Amino acid sequence: MTSEEIHASIYAMGQKARNAAHALSLLSPKKKSAILRAMAQGLRDSSTTILDANIKDIEAGASKGLSGALLDRLRLDAARIESIAAGVDQVADLPDPVGESLDTVTRPNGISIEKVRVPIGVIGIIFESRPNVTSDAAVLCLKSGNATILRGGSEAIHSNKAIAEALQLGGEKAGLPEGAVQLIPFTDRESVKVLAGMDKYLDLIIPRGGKGLIETVVSLARMPVIKHYDGICHAFVDRAADQDLAIAIIDDGKTQKPSVCNALETVLVHEDVAASFLPRLAQRLQVRGVEIRGDEATCSILPNIKAASEEDWSTEYLDLTISVKVVANLDEAVSHINQYSSQHSEVIITTDANAAARFQSEIDSACLFHNVSTRFADGEEFGFGAEIGISTDKLHARGPMGLNELCSYQYRISGTGQIKDSARQSTL
C-alpha cells in the first residue's frame, strides 16, 4: 500500500472508532456483558479457523529463525483458545467501572461535586507477537466503554485477523457497535507512524512489545502514551531467607514461563548465605536447563558457570538464562535494583519483616513482592481479569492495567442556581 492509502485507511478507522465510542458510552452494563459473552462464543465457534491461521504464523516464524521462546508466545492450541474465550467471559462478569462514583463533596455554598469514572474514549494499541493480546485488549476496552484500534505485529498477522474477525462476528449478534473493535489488517511500518499521529481521533496509545517499538511510539505519539518497558525483574535472597522457599520462588519465577515480562532475570544473594545457597540453586536451575551467568564472587562458588558482563545486568533474556550476583547487604541489593531494574517487579525472600519492609519502601518499581513469585505480577492474578499490559509508568496507571486503569474521570456539579458573583445578582 502507498503512504496515502495507509493514511486514508487508518483515518477512516479513526472516524468509525470515534462514532463507536459515543455508542459505547450509551450501553448499559448488562448490554456490554451480553456482547462480551457473544464475543467469547465467537472465539469458540471459530477455533478451527484461528488454529489454521496460527499454523501459518508459526511456520513463517520458524522460517525466519524465531527463538523457541518467541514461537511459544506466538503458538495457539485448542486449550489456549479456550483460555482466551474464558478470559472474555471472566471480563463480562467483572463489575462495570463506568459511572462509578469515586467521591462526592458538598461545598459550603451548597454546590455538590461528584467525581465519576468515565471511559477514556478511543484507545490505540500497538503490540507484537502474542495473538491473545488482540482479544484481551479488545474486551477490556469494550467493557470499560472504549473503542479500540489494534495494530499487531507481522509475526501474528494471520492469527490476529482470525481472532479479530471471530470477536466481531460474535459481538455483532449481540449488538456490538460498528467500529468499536478494529484491527489494522496490514503491518507496514508506516501504519505505526500514522496511528501515533492521529490525535484527532485517538485519546491514548498503548505500545506493548520490545524496547525499540515502545521508543518509536513514544517519539511519534501526539497523544498520551502508557508504556510497558522491559521486564528486568529481580529476586534478592536475604541472609534471613528460607533457602528451600527461595529456590522454589526463583525456579518458578525463571522457568515456569521464561518468555514473559514478569519472569526473573537477575538473582542477588546476600554474601552471608551465598556459599551454602548458590550450589543448591545452581543444581535446581541446571536441571531446568537454565544458563547461569555470575559475577566474580558467584563464579568463585560456581566455577563452571559463565561470567556475567555489564550488559547482563540490564538484559531481559526472555529465555532460560539468568544473571546472579553476590551482594554485601540489603543496601547493595536495593542500589543494584534501582540502577538496573525496568521498574516492573522485584521480590525479596526473607523471614526478616524489617528487611522486607525496607525493600518494599526503598525500591522504585511497580510491584514489590515478599516471599511470592514475580509471576503473580499479572492482571488476572490481581483479580482484574485479562490485563491490557503492565505499565512501568507512574502516571496515570502503574503495574497491571485492568478495567479501572482504562478509565478517566469527570466532575459532575449540581446546584440550585448558585452563581459566582452573588452580590451582582442581588443588584439586578
Side-chain angles (χ1 to χ4, degrees):
M1 297 180 70
T2 66
S3 294
E4 292 76 14
E5 288 171 333
I6 291 171
H7 186 280
S9 177
I10 294 177
Y11 266 71
M13 295 173 74
Q15 177 66 66
K16 289 176 66 176
R18 178 60 69 196
N19 294 336
H22 177 70
L24 286 170
S25 71
L26 303 178
L27 296 180
S28 68
K30 183 178 180 180
K31 182 65 172 177
K32 282 189 283 184
S33 292
I35 291 171
L36 288 167
R37 291 190 184 93
M39 293 168 77
Q41 189 58 46
L43 290 170
R44 296 183 176 103
D45 293 343
S46 299
S47 178
T48 300
T49 301
I50 295 170
L51 289 176
D52 289 343
N54 185 246
I55 289 172
K56 295 179 182 178
D57 291 327
I58 293 295
E59 291 175 346
S63 68
K64 293 177 183 177
L66 294 184
S67 69
L70 290 177
L71 287 173
D72 181 62
R73 296 180 77 174
L74 184 61
R75 182 174 288 105
L76 295 174
D77 54 29
R80 288 187 176 185
I81 292 175
E82 175 54 35
S83 178
I84 294 170
V88 180
D89 283 330
Q90 183 182 19
V91 171
D93 292 334
L94 291 173
D96 194 311
V98 178
E100 179 185 356
S101 180
L102 301 175
D103 192 21
T104 301
V105 175
T106 300
R107 301 292 298 149
N109 61 5
I111 290 177
S112 174
I113 304 173
E114 184 181 19
K115 186 178 182 180
V116 178
R117 204 185 301 277
V118 297
I120 290 173
V122 180
I123 300 176
I125 301 173
I126 302 175
F127 59 99
E128 297 175 338
S129 297
R130 297 174 67 179
N132 63 291
V133 176
T134 302
S135 178
D136 292 350
V139 302
L140 282 170
C141 286
L142 181 61
K143 180 75 174 186
S144 54
N146 299 291
T148 183
I149 299 176
L150 304 162
R151 193 276 190 185
S154 58
E155 297 89 351
I157 185 61
H158 297 97
S159 304
N160 291 337
K161 286 181 179 179
I163 290 172
E165 183 176 358
L167 293 170
Q168 183 68 33
L169 291 174
E172 285 176 355
K173 297 176 182 178
L176 177 68
E178 183 184 3
V181 178
Q182 299 178 80
L183 174 76
I184 296 175
F186 42 84
T187 59
D188 306 64
R189 291 186 179 183
E190 180 75 11
S191 62
V192 173
K193 180 179 179 181
V194 174
L195 193 62
M198 196 169 65
D199 55 332
K200 179 178 180 180
Y201 296 121
L202 253 60
D203 299 294
L204 173 70
I205 195 163
I206 303 173
R208 287 189 58 173
K211 190 172 183 179
L213 169 68
I214 294 169
E215 289 180 343
T216 296
V217 173
V218 169
S219 69
L220 295 172
R222 294 171 58 89
M223 69 290 294
V225 181
I226 294 180
K227 299 182 293 296
H228 172 141
Y229 272 128
D230 298 341
I232 303 173
C233 304
H234 297 75
F236 170 51
V237 181
D238 187 36
R239 63 182 174 185
D242 177 323
Q243 293 194 17
D244 290 337
L245 186 70
I247 289 170
I249 288 173
I250 294 168
D251 181 9
D252 184 76
K254 178 74 267 185
T255 70
Q256 193 269 334
K257 196 169 186 180
S259 62
V260 292
C261 63
N262 57 17
L264 285 175
E265 306 295 7
T266 298
V267 175
L268 306 175
V269 181
H270 197 293
E271 64 181 9
D272 290 356
V273 297
S276 61
F277 177 73
L278 284 174
R280 297 183 60 199
L281 177 65
Q283 183 179 21
R284 172 73 72 89
L285 293 182
Q286 287 167 352
V287 167
R288 304 291 197 195
V290 178
E291 176 189 315
I292 301 173
R293 302 179 184 180
D295 71 332
E296 183 176 351
T298 301
C299 288
S300 69
I301 298 170
L302 305 174
N304 295 324
I305 67 169
K306 182 178 180 179
S309 66
E310 175 63 25
E311 184 181 3
D312 282 307
W313 309 122
S314 55
T315 297
E316 183 182 24
Y317 299 111
L318 298 174
D319 209 342
L320 290 174
T321 304
I322 198 165
S323 54
V324 180
K325 181 179 182 180
V326 176
V327 294
N329 47 41
L330 175 61
D331 288 335
E332 187 177 340
V334 168
S335 177
H336 178 98
I337 293 171
N338 280 336
Q339 178 177 352
Y340 293 102
S341 170
S342 60
Q343 300 183 325
H344 191 299
S345 298
E346 333 293 347
V347 57
I348 181 172
I349 302 133
T350 186
T351 59
D352 184 340
N354 290 329
R358 278 194 57 203
F359 183 89
Q360 291 184 317
S361 64
E362 295 182 22
I363 291 175
D364 190 20
S365 295
C367 299
L368 294 163
F369 295 89
H370 174 206
N371 293 342
V372 179
S373 170
T374 57
R375 288 286 288 114
F376 285 94
D378 175 82
E380 185 171 354
E381 297 293 349
F382 280 23
F384 299 165
E387 67 183 24
I388 203 76
I390 297 180
S391 170
T392 52
D393 279 341
K394 298 182 181 180
L395 299 173
H396 95 112
R398 194 176 199 197
M401 292 178 58
L403 293 173
N404 290 346
E405 288 72 33
L406 290 174
C407 291
S408 182
Y409 57 82
Q410 64 182 191
Y411 292 100
R412 298 177 181 176
I413 302 95
S414 300
T416 56
Q418 292 90 336
I419 65 171
K420 182 73 173 178
D421 192 347
S422 57
R424 183 166 176 251
Q425 182 185 41
S426 64
T427 63
L428 296 178

